Amino acid sequence: MAGSEAADPLLMLGVGLIEKDTNGEVLWVWCYPSTTATLRNLLLRKCCLTEENKLHHPFVFGQYRRTWFYITTVEVPDSSVLKKVTHFSIVLTAKDFNPEKYAAFTRILCRMYLKHGSPVKMMESYIAVLTKGICQSEENGSFLSKDFDARKAYLAGSIKDIVSQFGMETVILHTALMLKKRIVVYHPKIEAVQEFTRTLPALVWHRQDWSILHPYVHLDADELEALQMCPGYVAGFVDLEVSNRSDLYDVFVNLADSEITIAPLAKEAMTMGKLHKEIGQLIVQSAEDPEKSDSQVIQDISLKTKEIFTNLAPFSEVSDDGEKRVLNYEALKQRRFPPATENFLYHLAAAEQMLKI
C-alpha cells in the first residue's frame, strides 16, 4: 500500500514561488494552479525570508489542515540571471508526508529558476511530475516520483538518537502516543525540531499514521485553532513561549534541555507502573544494541505494542450493534491488574474508541 501511494504523482497539490528582492521586500510572486489567501500567508510565514533574524533554512516542512508543505530556500549567486532577487523559496504543497521526495524535487526546481529566471520551466516540470511521475533534464538533474517510497520516509528518522537522549523517559513518549495524547516539542532550531518530531510516530508503528505530525507550528491563532481540532498530535515549535501554553499539550518536550514534562491534567491517564517499566527497559535495551538498526528497534517496540493489544483482547467483546469490539470494564477489573496497568489499558481502550457510549 505504502509503495503504491508514494508512486502516485497526483499527491501534489500545487507549487509556488516567493522572492526577496534587493530592497529586502518579500513577495509571493507566482503559483500554480492557485492558492488561498490563508495558505499563502501561512507559507510566507514559514519560509525563512520574512524572519527578522535573517536565519537561512535550506529546507523546512510541515502540515496545516491536512495539507503538507515543503519549502526550499536558496541564496541567489551574482552569476544568476535573477539580478534584483537576493533569495527565493520554492513551495510545494501535497497530500502526503515525504520530506526527502519533495526536497529532491524542489532542489531541481530551484536550479531551473536560477538558470532561466522564469517560472515557465518550473511549471513544465511540475506538470510532467504530476502527469507522468518523472521530470528529466540534463543540467538540473532527474526526478522520479516512485523512487521515494512512503515507508522510507516513515523510517528516515532515528529512534536510537531519541533513546540515547532520553533513555527510560522515552516510555513517556510511547505512552502518550499510544493514548493519542498531545505532545509539544520545543527547540530553538527548526531542523532539530523537525528531525525529532518526524520520528515519534514510529513509536506506534502499528498505526503508521503520520497525519498526527505537525512539525513546524507558529503561535498564530489560525494555526493553533487548526491544531486543537486534532484529537492527538505531535507538534513542533521554535518559540519557547509555547512552554507557557499548557492548553496545547499533555506532554511537553524541551529538546534543548532534554526534559520531558507531563501536564497536571494528563498525569492520571499517564500514571506509570510495572508495565511501563517493562516497555521502557525493552526500548532502551533494543536501542542500545549496536547490532540493531533503527528499523529493527521499531520492530521490537511494535511487537511489544502488539502484546499489549493481545492483553486487552480478552476484555473486549462485540458491541450490541455488532459493529466493533468494545471494552468489558467489569472483566478488566476482575483480572486485578496492578492499578497503573489497569488504568493504562482502560485509557488505551478509550484512545482506540473501544468504550461503550
Side-chain angles (χ1 to χ4, degrees), residues 13 116 155 258:
L13 296 169
H116 301 283
L155 290 167
S258 300

Side-chain angles (χ1 to χ4, degrees), residues 42-185:
L42 174 103
L43 296 168
L44 277 164
R45 186 162 59 242
K46 299 297 173 193
C47 89
C48 51
L49 302 180
T50 49
E51 285 180 9
E52 299 309 309
N53 61 11
K54 306 287 184 288
L55 262 182
H56 180 193
H57 305 298
F59 180 67
V60 295
F61 58 92
Q63 186 202 169
Y64 171 76
R65 298 186 191 269
R66 296 269 170 168
T67 293
W68 287 95
F69 57 85
Y70 303 92
I71 307 173
T72 289
T73 301
V74 294
E75 195 169 350
V76 177
D78 295 338
S79 57
S80 171
V81 292
L82 297 162
K83 291 300 172 217
K84 294 193 169 143
V85 180
T86 61
H87 300 77
F88 66 85
S89 297
I90 302 278
V91 181
L92 274 178
T93 51
K95 296 178 203 166
D96 62 328
F97 168 75
N98 203 321
E100 287 68 32
K101 172 164 78 167
Y102 295 114
F105 188 36
T106 47
R107 277 198 301 273
I108 289 175
L109 296 179
C110 283
R111 289 199 287 272
M112 285 180 177
Y113 193 55
L114 277 172
K115 185 169 192 273
H116 301 283
S118 144
V120 175
K121 292 277 183 203
M122 291 198 297
M123 189 166 107
E124 285 170 4
S125 295
Y126 175 82
I127 290 170
V129 171
L130 197 62
T131 53
K132 304 188 193 93
I134 184 167
C135 79
Q136 285 168 307
S137 73
E138 294 302 312
E139 70 275 38
N140 302 312
S142 297
F143 173 83
L144 188 58
S145 196
K146 70 172 192 299
D147 282 348
F148 299 90
D149 182 67
R151 197 183 146 91
K152 240 192 232 166
Y154 295 163
L155 290 167
S158 173
I159 289 277
K160 296 184 100 160
D161 287 354
I162 290 177
V163 179
S164 78
Q165 184 171 0
F166 289 102
M168 276 296 278
E169 286 202 311
T170 310
V171 77
I172 299 173
L173 301 171
H174 178 263
T175 305
L177 288 156
M178 286 283 282
L179 300 182
K180 298 185 180 174
K181 296 293 181 192
R182 301 164 307 154
I183 301 174
V184 160
V185 177

Side-chain angles (χ1 to χ4, degrees), residues 215-349:
Y216 187 18
V217 187
H218 280 83
L219 288 167
D220 167 86
D222 181 50
E223 286 188 53
L224 296 182
E225 183 196 320
L227 186 66
Q228 286 173 301
M229 284 164 71
C230 309
Y233 51 75
V234 174
F237 292 80
V238 290
D239 183 349
L240 186 54
E241 178 55 34
V242 73
S243 62
N244 302 319
R245 293 293 306 267
S246 54
D247 57 316
L248 294 176
Y249 60 81
D250 300 306
V251 172
F252 180 73
V253 182
N254 184 329
L255 206 50
D257 294 343
S258 300
E259 282 175 2
I260 298 179
T261 312
I262 300 173
L265 287 174
K267 283 201 162 132
E268 187 264 330
M270 298 276 299
T271 307
M272 300 286 156
K274 184 169 163 280
L275 176 67
H276 298 88
K277 192 179 172 184
E278 257 176 53
I279 298 165
Q281 283 168 338
L282 172 116
I283 292 172
V284 171
Q285 209 176 339
S286 179
E288 285 179 351
D289 184 341
E291 299 294 305
K292 285 188 174 172
S293 66
D294 276 293
S295 56
Q296 284 170 312
V297 176
I298 290 167
Q299 207 174 352
D300 287 348
I301 299 167
S302 186
L303 285 170
K304 185 68 184 170
T305 303
K306 282 200 179 108
E307 204 180 287
I308 294 166
F309 280 108
T310 309
N311 281 342
L312 197 55
F315 314 110
S316 65
E317 57 197 21
V318 177
S319 61
D320 297 337
D321 58 11
E323 287 288 300
K324 57 175 190 173
R325 296 195 74 78
V326 293
L327 179 74
N328 179 335
Y329 187 49
E330 285 312 308
L332 176 65
K333 278 170 79 166
Q334 279 165 14
R335 179 66 174 72
R336 301 193 176 211
F337 279 116
T341 303
E342 184 187 299
N343 180 55
F344 173 66
L345 291 173
Y346 175 77
H347 284 284
L348 180 60

